[in-house]
Amino acid sequence: MKKILHISKYYAPFVGGIEQVARDCVNSFGAEVEQKVFCFQHEKGDAVDRVDGVEVIRAGCFAKVASQSMSFSYGKLLKKTFREFQPDIVIFHYPNPFGAHFLKKQLKRRPDCKLIVWWHLDITKQKLLGKLFAGQTKWLLKRAAKVVATSPNYIDGSASLQSVKEKCVSIPCCVNHARLQVSEDDRARAEQYRQECAGKTICLAMGRHVPYKGMEYLVRASKLLSDDFVVWIGGQGPLTDDLKKLAEGDRKITFLGKVSDDDLKSRLLACDIFCFPSITKNEAFGIALAEAMAYGKPAVTFTIDGSGVNYVSLNGVTGIEVENRNVGQYAEALRRLADDASLRGEYGENAKRRVDALFTNEKFQENVRNLIDQL
């Protein structure tokens, strides 16, 4: 029986894009393999628990530096895990330079252990950190049997992956259809929202309020729209107060704050257009975008060179893509969709078909199992 060790920065119940992909990887297998997960704990003190029946080993964290968790016990605990578990395959979710430092030590002792590097994104914001760990990253990529990216766009656009393109495979993230299952209560709430906004085009955006999500540009685009629009902005983050200040005087915009799964479903059902204004490659894929497409909603996105966003939603097929940070073009795209119900319907149907073909749990699990079989 194969033994697979998954190494992620954090893991469920922590909610995050990388963590969700790591969990989806684990859940791609059944009793045919033995699995463990290794990650950071959110606080001091190591812990061991189980998620979805799989053991999760968590190394206590005492601080964070440039978004990187720091731990006194990580290296010792990882060494113990390797010694006791003896994994045949390691799936390492990148970026995690602190974890990579200790993983490298263990892999040097285990030349027979296969390494899969799951490349979620390049280190772009912390440039000094990226340079500091450049040698380590090159070693990991050279050591890897396979390198996974979330889209072919990211493989082509990542400078770090050019030297190992022959090892790279694309496995898109997946939409959790079970989480998005609609109830009668969800439909009733959605109808209530539509009645409250009768006669207006409802635009919805969801995401953390951080720079790369580009919510600032949606707020600026909203200022160019007539009062025939309603703009809902869900989520929160360090930029929330700045965004609210920027939006002052614009009655079209409503900040929803943290949105529950049930309310998200109702908002997705009620909206006419999904706004996804991310602006940098930090947005490697866009799970929220794919979820909205699963509901048959057309999207408006920016062009992001090397990002999977423009792979998830196709310009002129599932939505409209405009020049990066161009708020005038963004507002015009919203107007075009608002004025053409037939176009919204066409793009929305195409969006749902694309998700059903490429971004389902079943397709993801098939891709992951095929990857392991290739080893």
Side-chain angles (χ1 to χ4, degrees), residues 250-265:
D250 189 344
R251 294 176 300 175
K252 297 183 294 296
I253 295 180
T254 300
F255 288 93
L256 305 176
K258 187 175 181 181
V259 178
S260 68
D261 282 353
D262 286 341
D263 197 36
L264 172 61
K265 290 184 286 186

Side-chain angles (χ1 to χ4, degrees), residues 65-68 97 123 126-134 137:
V65 178
S67 300
Q68 172 64 68
I123 298 177
Q126 298 93 357
K127 290 187 168 128
L128 182 60
L129 194 68
K131 289 180 180 178
L132 181 64
F133 292 103
T137 302

Side-chain angles (χ1 to χ4, degrees), residues 199-219:
K200 298 181 184 291
T201 298
I202 303 173
C203 302
L204 171 66
M206 293 295 305
R208 289 185 298 138
H209 298 173
V210 293
Y212 79 85
K213 290 289 185 181
M215 295 297 183
E216 169 193 345
Y217 299 95
L218 175 58
V219 172

Side-chain angles (χ1 to χ4, degrees), residues 55-263:
E55 183 178 286
V56 182
I57 302 157
R58 306 178 194 264
C61 171
F62 68 87
K64 280 189 180 182
V65 178
S67 300
Q68 172 64 68
S69 297
M70 310 296 288
S71 170
F72 290 122
S73 60
Y74 193 100
K76 184 177 180 181
L77 199 57
L78 185 62
K79 181 179 180 180
K80 180 174 182 285
T81 301
F82 261 80
R83 184 179 68 249
E84 294 179 354
F85 186 52
Q86 292 291 311
D88 302 300
I89 299 168
V90 170
I91 299 178
F92 180 72
H93 292 272
Y94 176 95
N96 181 2
F98 186 91
H101 171 76
F102 293 101
L103 174 61
K104 181 179 177 181
K105 290 183 177 181
Q106 299 309 313
L107 290 174
K108 283 186 172 181
R109 297 187 180 106
R110 287 284 313 277
D112 59 319
C113 182
K114 303 287 187 182
L115 172 66
I116 295 172
V117 175
W118 205 289
W119 191 274
H120 290 270
L121 53 93
D122 299 343
I123 298 177
T124 55
K125 185 180 177 183
Q126 298 93 357
K127 290 187 168 128
L128 182 60
L129 194 68
K131 289 180 180 178
L132 181 64
F133 292 103
Q136 169 186 276
T137 302
K138 286 180 181 177
W139 186 92
L140 275 178
L141 291 173
K142 184 177 179 181
R143 173 67 169 77
K146 292 289 182 181
V147 179
V148 178
T150 53
S151 73
N153 294 35
Y154 215 95
I155 295 172
D156 292 336
S158 169
S160 298
L161 299 185
Q162 298 313 297
S163 63
V164 292
K165 282 186 79 170
E166 74 285 351
K167 298 181 181 181
C168 293
V169 296
S170 170
I171 298 183
C173 304
C174 63
V175 169
N176 187 336
H177 281 87
R179 185 171 77 90
L180 298 178
Q181 197 73 32
V182 175
S183 69
E184 288 306 312
D185 286 344
D186 299 328
R187 295 186 191 280
R189 195 181 306 112
E191 181 57 31
Q192 179 183 338
Y193 288 144
R194 280 193 288 265
Q195 290 177 4
E196 292 171 357
C197 302
K200 298 181 184 291
T201 298
I202 303 173
C203 302
L204 171 66
M206 293 295 305
R208 289 185 298 138
H209 298 173
V210 293
Y212 79 85
K213 290 289 185 181
M215 295 297 183
E216 169 193 345
Y217 299 95
L218 175 58
V219 172
R220 294 187 185 280
S222 175
K223 292 177 179 290
L224 304 179
L225 300 173
S226 72
D227 288 337
D228 293 331
F229 286 83
V230 169
V231 180
W232 293 334
I233 299 178
Q236 54 193 20
L239 295 183
T240 299
D241 289 341
D242 291 338
L243 290 171
K244 288 181 177 179
K245 186 174 181 180
L246 182 63
E248 283 179 359
D250 189 344
R251 294 176 300 175
K252 297 183 294 296
I253 295 180
T254 300
F255 288 93
L256 305 176
K258 187 175 181 181
V259 178
S260 68
D261 282 353
D262 286 341
D263 197 36

